[in-house]
């Protein structure tokens, strides 16, 4: 059936792991926005949540790197990171192998996707779940777009992946929710960590909220790298959500640069 | 070098073996003496200089419970000591720093409380 929920959010590890170092009011505003997103997600009564993430070498490495991958297991593990560093305990997250297999089979009709029966979550999925499904009681279907190890799939392929995900969600009887997680401009895991190009972010989010396909697909990785850091390669996850909800407007509920979290923190949903 | 870190970062059993015998954990990986030294000390700055992807390096630093600001400073120190990153997609752009940036945004950061 049609998607019951769609949105995007940040996943930076500092959001939880360095919460004690942030401006208290800024952190509280972000956390309230995450809570609001959780309430919206819960109100949609989903049977499962597809998380389109940009993982950071938790499962996939340059010896065998898929551009697009989806998980196909009844459970997953995470986080891979030191729990004290991330601020999230190691746990088991439910999946749904049958649902994954049906979704993947459908996605394959339009998009080349790898599948993985084993998948360890890193902060890219664990931070969103920490806020959105804190009891880990909603089956997750992880999806990944390689945004870390070039060469990267071009943006129009991320769009095509989103179109395929929408068709797949439409084809199953379950109520499917969909989120994309990633940064916009940021320079994560570098000495420039904390740098944020707010103007660049706001322009992209305006385009995203209007589902402006032409504008979003006009970005080049070379220019984004100069203007918005290597973290901006993760706009692929946002673009995929736009493609999966083409024609619908989005609402940015929260955007605020929080340097200690190393990203312009973002919470947005699509008006389905 | 990155392959070693990838395997280490995601495998708790491998982490236990590395904790017990760092040099022994390197057996089977094609590593130069410099790389072996960087991985066993560990030398975060040298690893960054050698081109280890920052995300892989970040998880490795977390494994060693290196505090965030120390981790960033060790990367900066590595660039000062060894020179620019040899390869990879990590330019250094002259960022003003989190404290100054936070101040400019009117945010009261509490970096000194960092763990």
């Amino acid at each position: 059936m049609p998607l019951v929920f769609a949105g995007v959010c940040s996943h930076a590890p500092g959001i939880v792991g360095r919460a004690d170092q942030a401006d208290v009011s800024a952190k509280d505003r972000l956390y309230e926005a995450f809570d609001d997103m959780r309430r919206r997600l819960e109100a949609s009564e989903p049977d499962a949540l597809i998380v389109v993430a940009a993982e950071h070498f938790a499962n996939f490495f340059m010896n065998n790197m898929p551009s697009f991958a989806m998980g196909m297991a009844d459970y997953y593990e995470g986080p891979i990171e030191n729990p004290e560093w991330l601020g999230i305990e190691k746990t088991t997250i439910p999946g749904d192998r049958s649902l994954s297999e049906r979704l993947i089979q459908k996605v394959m009709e339009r998009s080349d996707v790898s599948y993985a029966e084993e998948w360890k979550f890193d902060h890219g999925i664990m931070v969103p779940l920490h806020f959105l499904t804190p009891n880990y009681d909603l089956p997750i279907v992880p999806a990944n777009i390689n945004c870390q190890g070039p060469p990267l799939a071009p943006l129009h392929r991320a769009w095509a992946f989103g179109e395929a995900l929408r068709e797949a969600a439409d084809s199953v009887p379950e109520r499917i929710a969909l989120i994309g997680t990633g940064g916009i401009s940021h320079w994560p895991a570098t000495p420039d960590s904390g740098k944020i190009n707010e103007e660049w972010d706001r322009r992209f989010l305006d385009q995203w909220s209007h589902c402006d396909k032409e504008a979003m697909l006009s970005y080049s990785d070379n220019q984004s790298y100069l203007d918005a850091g290597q973290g901006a390669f993760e706009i692929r996850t946002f673009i995929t959500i736009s493609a999966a909800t083409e024609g619908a407007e989005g609402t940015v509920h929260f955007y605020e640069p929080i340097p200690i979290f190393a990203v312009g923190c973002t919470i947005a949903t699509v008006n389905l | 070098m990155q392959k070693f870190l990838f395997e280490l970062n995601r495998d708790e059993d491998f982490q236990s073996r590395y904790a017990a015998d760092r040099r022994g954990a390197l057996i089977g990986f094609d590593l130069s003496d410099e790389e072996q030294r960087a991985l066993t000390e560990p030398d975060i700055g040298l690893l960054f200089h050698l081109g280890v992807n920052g995300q892989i390096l970040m998880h490795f630093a977390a494994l060693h419970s290196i505090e965030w600001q120390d981790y960033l400073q060790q990367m900066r120190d590595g660039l000062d000591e060894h020179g620019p990153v040899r390869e990879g997609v990590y330019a250094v752009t002259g960022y003003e720093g989190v404290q100054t940036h936070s101040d400019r945004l009117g945010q009261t950061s509490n970096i000194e409380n960092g763990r």
Side-chain angles (χ1 to χ4, degrees):
Chain A
M1 62 183 300
L3 289 168
V4 298
F5 178 89
V8 294
C9 66
S10 303
H11 68 220
I15 290 173
V16 184
R18 295 191 295 280
D20 60 338
Q21 300 182 48
D23 179 274
V24 174
S25 59
K27 183 208 71 172
D28 287 349
R29 290 192 294 273
L30 170 61
Y31 279 31
E32 172 52 37
F34 261 122
D35 276 347
D36 178 65
M37 189 177 190
R38 175 182 53 76
R39 289 190 289 269
R40 292 171 188 271
L41 172 64
E42 290 173 350
S44 74
E45 300 181 337
D47 294 316
L49 171 64
I50 300 173
V51 182
V52 179
E55 75 139 33
H56 317 82
F57 305 105
N59 302 277
F60 309 116
F61 186 67
M62 282 76 84
N63 63 343
N64 190 8
M65 178 66 80
S67 292
F68 302 94
M70 294 176 68
M72 193 170 72
D74 280 326
Y75 66 91
Y76 304 96
E77 299 171 357
I80 68 159
E81 294 95 335
N82 179 337
E84 185 179 355
W85 177 84
L86 187 60
I88 299 174
E89 290 298 317
K90 289 185 184 292
T91 189
T92 298
I93 303 98
D96 184 333
R97 192 188 189 288
S98 166
L99 172 62
S100 281
E101 185 171 355
R102 285 178 281 127
L103 291 170
I104 291 166
Q105 192 71 56
K106 192 69 177 176
V107 168
M108 283 176 166
E109 292 182 10
R110 287 189 57 147
S111 179
D112 294 325
V113 64
S114 300
Y115 68 85
E117 292 187 339
E118 298 177 4
W119 194 304
K120 295 183 178 182
F121 294 173
D122 70 11
H123 64 270
I125 292 181
M126 292 306 296
V127 168
L129 296 188
H130 173 76
F131 291 102
L132 300 178
T133 65
N135 298 318
Y136 304 109
D137 51 4
L138 180 65
I140 303 301
V141 178
N144 191 69
I145 303 174
N146 171 29
C147 299
Q148 310 296 342
L152 310 178
L155 300 184
H156 71 268
R157 297 301 298 161
W159 184 275
F161 184 53
E163 291 179 323
L165 283 175
R166 180 188 59 212
E167 285 194 2
D170 288 348
S171 73
V172 298
E174 287 90 345
R175 298 172 60 85
I176 303 296
L178 173 69
I179 63 167
T181 86
I184 323 177
S185 75
H186 63 317
W187 285 253
T190 77
D192 289 352
S193 179
K195 183 175 181 177
I196 297 158
N197 186 338
E198 182 174 351
E199 181 183 355
W200 196 93
D201 283 356
R202 291 192 183 279
R203 184 170 61 249
F204 178 79
L205 286 175
D206 182 65
Q207 294 161 351
W208 182 86
S209 64
H210 292 100
C211 201
D212 189 339
K213 176 182 178 181
E214 183 178 354
M216 285 189 284
L217 297 190
S218 72
Y219 287 81
S220 74
D221 283 339
N222 287 341
Q223 193 60 46
S224 294
Y225 178 56
L226 295 174
D227 297 336
Q230 90 284 357
F233 298 161
E234 294 179 354
I235 61 172
R236 285 168 171 76
T237 64
F238 285 52
I239 287 171
T240 292
I241 303 308
S242 285
T245 58
E246 187 172 11
E249 295 275 306
T251 299
V252 178
H253 301 284
F254 181 90
Y255 172 81
E256 195 168 326
I258 304 179
I260 191 63
F261 293 164
V263 73
C265 297
T266 307
I267 302 288
T269 57
V270 179
N271 310 316
L272 296 175
Chain B
M1 186 168 52
Q2 294 192 101
K3 182 70 180 294
F4 170 82
L5 291 171
F6 165 72
E7 300 285 359
L8 181 69
N9 285 343
R10 66 189 305 276
D11 186 336
E12 288 184 78
D13 290 338
F14 194 13
Q15 290 167 13
S16 296
R17 295 203 301 277
Y18 173 76
D21 179 7
R22 291 183 182 182
R23 191 155 290 275
L26 302 179
I27 294 172
F29 292 88
D30 183 14
L31 298 163
S32 69
D33 290 344
E34 183 183 46
E35 290 168 340
Q36 290 186 39
R37 181 172 64 78
L39 290 168
T40 51
E41 283 190 6
D43 188 331
I44 299 297
L46 179 56
L47 289 168
F48 186 64
H49 163 76
L50 291 173
V52 172
N53 184 289
Q55 297 287 352
I56 293 174
L57 188 56
M58 180 176 74
H59 290 171
F60 181 61
L63 177 66
H64 285 278
S65 300
I66 297 172
E67 195 275 323
W68 182 251
Q69 299 302 329
D70 289 343
Y71 154 67
L72 298 181
Q73 189 58 48
Q74 288 183 35
M75 285 193 290
R76 295 187 193 105
D77 292 346
L79 298 180
D80 288 343
E81 182 176 351
H82 304 293
V85 174
R86 287 188 190 172
E87 59 180 285
V89 290
Y90 294 95
V92 176
T93 61
Y95 177 48
E96 63 193 309
V98 168
Q99 186 71 63
T100 303
H101 190 179
S102 299
D103 290 345
R104 189 161 53 77
L105 292 169
Q107 296 178 9
T108 305
S109 60
N110 298 288
I111 291 170
E112 65 277 8
N113 296 332
R115 56 180 183 267

